[in-house]
Amino acid sequence: MRLFRSSPAERRLLLEGRLAGPMPWVIAIMMFLTALAAASGLALGSAARSLGEDLAGRLTIQLPEANPVTREAGKQAIISELRRLGVIEKVEPVSDDQLAALLEPWLGDQGNEADLPIPALIDVTLRRATPADIAEVRKAVGSVSQTARVDAHARWLAPLESLLQSLRWLAAALVLLMAAATATIVVLAARGALNTHRPVIEVMHLLGATDQQVAALFQRRIALDALLGGLAGLAIALSVLALVGSRMSGIGSELLGSASLGLSDWALILCLPLFGALLATVAARLTILFALRNTL
Amino acid sequence: MATIVKFENVGLRYGIGAETLSDLSFSLERGGFYFLTGASGAGKTSLLRLLFLAQRPSRGLIRLFGEDMVTLPRDRLPLFRRRIGVVFQDFRLIPHLSAFDNVALPLRVAGTSERDIERAVSEMLAWVGLADRISARPATLSGGEQQRVAIARAVIGRPDILVADEPTGNVDPDMAARLLYLFDALNKLGTTIVVATHDVHLLSRVGAATIMHLDSGRLQDPTGALRYPPQREGAA
């Protein structure tokens, strides 16, 4: 199928300049929005993955014990018990200084000196994050202390991860909607071009041109217009992404930092104008072949 | 001579009005020369449109090159159209193409190489006296020049049938004689020629031509020359 190839003589058959009409510019806008939506979706996917990898295997054990001596003894007993388990990668008690730093926003810098029963905390990292492994940790901790509580980090951040996934699906839906809108624009443009050039098409038909030959004239022109429009839209989108990226790196947030684009993500975004041109070509070809079916 | 076109009880109706063409039954022979005459509105152009496959009949049977054109799938029509050259009454030249590109169009549609096109089109334009207007666009050509470009486009592909609707309407008598000479030369090479005309002088220029006269959409065939099988005047 001759999607893009045509001779200079064939190109002369349709009288119009490059980027004539509104279609390339509308496609540029659609491509700009598509590239932003795609980049957002891919970055959110990366953030969700990173969040899941970071938190899935992490647990915090709280030992609420008012007596500091008993608390310290319980903490050490739990650490010893956990280190015997094969599912554990790392066990690390949270030091008093770290606890004080964590509580400072609420208790002030005198918090440690106040006579408050602060629980002992132990950070645990599992080799894998299966429910069975977490249950094994709970069992081991329970065997040492009935009051100790095991908190899986993934549970607390599950709503955030779910939100990120929802936003990612929303971005994917936006990309699909944009593709559908682009195809619709191409269909309308192809119908318009067909009406404009109807006398030429009639003559070509009577001289023995096939529907495929007629469609080839239009699809190449529309594909090139879509490609040029798409490249313009992508260029603007890349500028915006670069600006947003520099602003995000300035914030220094761990969560925002994880919302980054990998090499494959960039390759996908850079290929969007090609996908757009291909979509436009197929839409134009089908529209023209369908319309010509109603003629003799 | 073999039959190249055969009409049997063909009728053509546009919309729900009366039939424009009624009960047409005739055959055309390969290598024959036919003049189609009749008053304005008699149906000459409609009959030509059936011949060059721009229209299907409302009823009846049309066979071209031995194939039934009434039931032929539309995706097979292009190959048959390439065997028919057409000179339209309104020329139908493509306004933004040069004379060269207009004449070259049938060859390009048929997939001829650009080298062959260059040679054939230049020769053809020289033959119709337009060698110096090769790059001119139709709007810059006179009516007669446009008609010659249209004729050159119709004959460039050496068609089996040449259908011409008033081909000499806009040219001077000298050019009309030259065009008729071109048609006659093509006819001698085996092309069947069908010329619709009002020009009574043209009819006497081709002695061997058969005259088909249309009157209110019906074909007058007093000599029987158009019947199938053909019955020449004086034949047993």
Side-chain angles (χ1 to χ4, degrees), chain A residues 67-243:
Chain A
N67 185 327
V69 177
T70 315
R71 184 168 67 218
E72 183 59 28
K75 185 168 84 174
Q76 293 306 328
I78 289 171
I79 290 170
S80 305
E81 184 66 20
L82 289 177
R83 280 185 175 149
R84 291 195 301 109
L85 299 178
V87 297
I88 301 292
E89 185 180 309
K90 195 168 76 176
V91 178
E92 200 172 1
V94 179
S95 69
D96 289 344
D97 290 344
Q98 285 173 304
L99 266 176
L102 283 170
L103 292 171
E104 193 180 341
W106 290 273
L107 303 179
D109 54 5
Q110 302 300 310
N112 238 9
E113 292 166 18
D115 193 16
L116 286 174
I118 297 169
L121 296 181
I122 304 165
D123 275 342
V124 177
T125 305
L126 299 176
R127 292 187 197 284
R128 291 175 302 146
T130 63
D133 292 349
I134 295 172
E136 194 177 341
V137 171
R138 283 188 201 283
K139 192 177 167 192
V141 171
S143 69
V144 177
S145 166
Q146 292 297 314
T147 55
R149 208 174 75 194
V150 178
D151 290 328
H153 289 199
R155 188 165 67 93
W156 298 111
L157 287 162
L160 178 60
E161 196 181 348
S162 167
L163 173 68
L164 290 179
Q165 291 290 5
S166 302
L167 289 173
R168 192 181 174 205
W169 283 113
L170 179 65
L174 283 175
V175 169
L176 286 179
L177 278 176
M178 233 73 85
T182 303
T184 307
I185 291 162
V186 169
V187 167
L188 294 175
R191 283 185 186 164
L194 209 55
N195 283 331
T196 305
H197 298 286
R198 192 163 291 282
V200 175
I201 294 165
E202 277 178 13
V203 170
M204 286 187 68
H205 263 160
L206 290 175
L207 295 179
T210 61
D211 290 351
Q212 285 72 21
Q213 284 176 309
V214 174
L217 296 176
F218 289 93
Q219 75 193 25
R220 183 190 171 278
R221 162 149 303 189
I222 287 174
L224 279 176
D225 279 359
L227 186 62
L228 291 174
L231 287 172
L234 180 67
I236 301 168
L238 289 178
S239 311
V240 171
L241 287 175
L243 187 70

Side-chain angles (χ1 to χ4, degrees), chain B residues 11 15 51 124 170-171 178:
Chain B
L51 271 176
M124 181 56 69
N170 287 295
V171 295
R178 284 190 67 186

Side-chain angles (χ1 to χ4, degrees), chain A residues 12-13 208 211 213 295, chain B residues 74 81-82 96 101 108-109:
Chain A
R12 284 197 295 275
L13 269 169
D211 290 351
Q213 284 176 309
T295 63
Chain B
R74 67 176 294 281
R81 285 174 173 149
R82 288 176 195 178
H96 53 270
D101 280 338
R108 288 192 172 126
V109 161

Side-chain angles (χ1 to χ4, degrees), chain A residues 47-48 51 160 164 248 252-260:
Chain A
L51 201 62
L160 178 60
L164 290 179
M248 276 171 58
S253 156
E254 194 177 332
L255 181 58
L256 286 178
S258 65
S260 60

